[in-house]
Amino acid sequence: MVIVLGHWAEHVAQAWQIWVLGWPVPQARGLLGEPFPWLITSEWLHYGYALVMLIALFLLRPGFTGRARTWWTVALVIQFWHHIEHLLLLIQAQTGHYFFGRPVPTSILQLAFPRVELHLFYNSIVFIPMLIGLYFHLRPAPAELAGAR
């Protein structure tokens, strides 16, 4: 959760820099990107985070039952797609062959949405079902207690 919240802080800081402070997107690097600018452009870092999140969601899933497991699975499925998008970006960055005729690495949904907004959205739609799953995990319905281990 510390890693998830830290990642959220990065995206929120970047959004603040762009939409409130009016910084151009290339200069809006989040919290850690200011002292370490290479972080924001490291596809390995972004892919690594997506992969760690996918693995963590998968490994923790057996600990959830009932409604909690349903919401956790929703987060897992969305993160799987998010991971695919980052894998596509990593492949393009490593090979120098950019897809879709674009001049930079581009994911599938980036064809319709700007990257900053898209990744803020991705992190929201993974985080929200995680929180709902955690809520139901901590407050299970009486019928769900029977399936708990």
Side-chain angles (χ1 to χ4, degrees), residues 37-54:
W38 60 269
L39 283 176
I40 198 76
T41 59
S42 170
E43 290 300 342
W44 275 109
L45 177 74
H46 293 280
Y47 177 73
Y49 175 79
L51 185 61
V52 165
M53 278 295 296
L54 180 64

Side-chain angles (χ1 to χ4, degrees), residues 99-100 102 106-113 118:
F99 301 162
F100 317 114
R102 297 290 178 100
T106 304
S107 69
I108 293 170
L109 288 183
Q110 264 182 266
L111 295 171
F113 304 101
L118 178 60

Side-chain angles (χ1 to χ4, degrees), residues 7 40 60 67 69 138:
H7 190 227
I40 198 76
L60 292 172
R67 297 171 299 169
R69 187 180 188 122
L138 295 173

Side-chain angles (χ1 to χ4, degrees), residues 50-62 64 72 76:
L51 185 61
V52 165
M53 278 295 296
L54 180 64
I55 291 168
L57 287 166
F58 178 76
L59 291 177
L60 292 172
R61 187 173 176 266
F64 291 84
W72 198 261
L76 175 64

Side-chain angles (χ1 to χ4, degrees), residues 9-90:
E10 286 297 322
H11 281 283
V12 170
Q14 187 180 36
W16 181 270
Q17 291 166 342
I18 293 167
W19 298 319
V20 176
L21 300 178
W23 293 7
V25 172
Q27 277 73 49
R29 296 185 292 260
L31 300 172
L32 290 175
E34 286 304 309
F36 308 105
W38 60 269
L39 283 176
I40 198 76
T41 59
S42 170
E43 290 300 342
W44 275 109
L45 177 74
H46 293 280
Y47 177 73
Y49 175 79
L51 185 61
V52 165
M53 278 295 296
L54 180 64
I55 291 168
L57 287 166
F58 178 76
L59 291 177
L60 292 172
R61 187 173 176 266
F64 291 84
T65 61
R67 297 171 299 169
R69 187 180 188 122
T70 300
W71 284 102
W72 198 261
T73 302
V74 167
L76 175 64
V77 169
I78 296 167
Q79 183 60 28
F80 178 77
W81 174 253
H82 187 192
H83 154 265
I84 295 297
E85 291 267 272
H86 275 292
L87 179 60
L88 291 173
L89 292 168
L90 178 65

